[in-house]
Amino acid sequence: MVIDAVQTEDGKKAIRQLLEDPSFRELIVLEHDQIETAINTTLLSKDAEEFWKKTYEDPKFKEAMAKSMKEQQTEIMKDLIKNATYQEDLVKFFGQADMQKELETVLKSSTLRKQMEEVVMETLQDPLLQTQWIDIIKKSGETSGGGGEEGGGKEGGSGGKEGGEEGGGGS
């Protein structure tokens, strides 16, 4: 019965007026102590800890949570990188002898080397970059004077007669 009355236009209007009333709002606002107690008893309790552990085991939930916070995390990281104190802390952290040893171990590991090798090979085989690689190699041959591998002093700098004859000298 009360629900029916509240769902009418007059009922909705009465609730809006009630919510606009400052004295009524004060009654609704929770005390800081009440909020703290509610958080401690619900979110930080042992039951809640188990709930969150179980919930975070679900890959779909983890993905959704990560996606929902991605923008905020990116903004936080951008702000931190600009922060001088954070930069100093990073330098101190990575400057520690233990951390340097760990980084050295990681950088020298066969796993990282294998990954780097794969990335380099993929980059070298990228069709979009192959023409750029060829241009770079040609330019480096021209700037070195064409002496060593081209076999002929000044002629090697123009791309070499030998290269032109090898590629098209069958007809």
Side-chain angles (χ1 to χ4, degrees), residues 93-106:
F93 176 73
F94 287 113
Q96 296 174 4
D98 293 346
M99 193 61 209
Q100 287 181 351
K101 287 179 186 177
E102 285 295 322
L103 281 173
E104 187 176 334
T105 303
V106 169

Side-chain angles (χ1 to χ4, degrees), residues 1-16:
M1 235 162 117
V2 173
I3 293 175
D4 292 335
V6 171
Q7 289 179 345
T8 65
E9 287 302 317
D10 289 337
K12 290 177 184 177
K13 186 177 178 182
I15 290 176
R16 281 190 204 108

Side-chain angles (χ1 to χ4, degrees), residues 22-32 34-35:
S23 61
F24 183 75
R25 280 187 170 185
E26 287 178 21
L27 295 173
I28 294 176
V29 176
L30 297 175
E31 299 279 330
H32 176 72
Q34 291 174 327
I35 294 171

Side-chain angles (χ1 to χ4, degrees), residues 18-55:
L18 202 66
L19 290 174
E20 290 172 1
D21 182 13
S23 61
F24 183 75
R25 280 187 170 185
E26 287 178 21
L27 295 173
I28 294 176
V29 176
L30 297 175
E31 299 279 330
H32 176 72
D33 295 337
Q34 291 174 327
I35 294 171
E36 188 174 337
T37 303
I39 289 173
N40 285 332
T41 57
T42 56
L43 295 177
L44 303 177
S45 69
K46 289 290 181 188
D47 293 336
E49 186 177 327
E50 290 301 315
F51 167 78
W52 289 115
K53 283 181 183 178
K54 188 175 181 179
T55 303

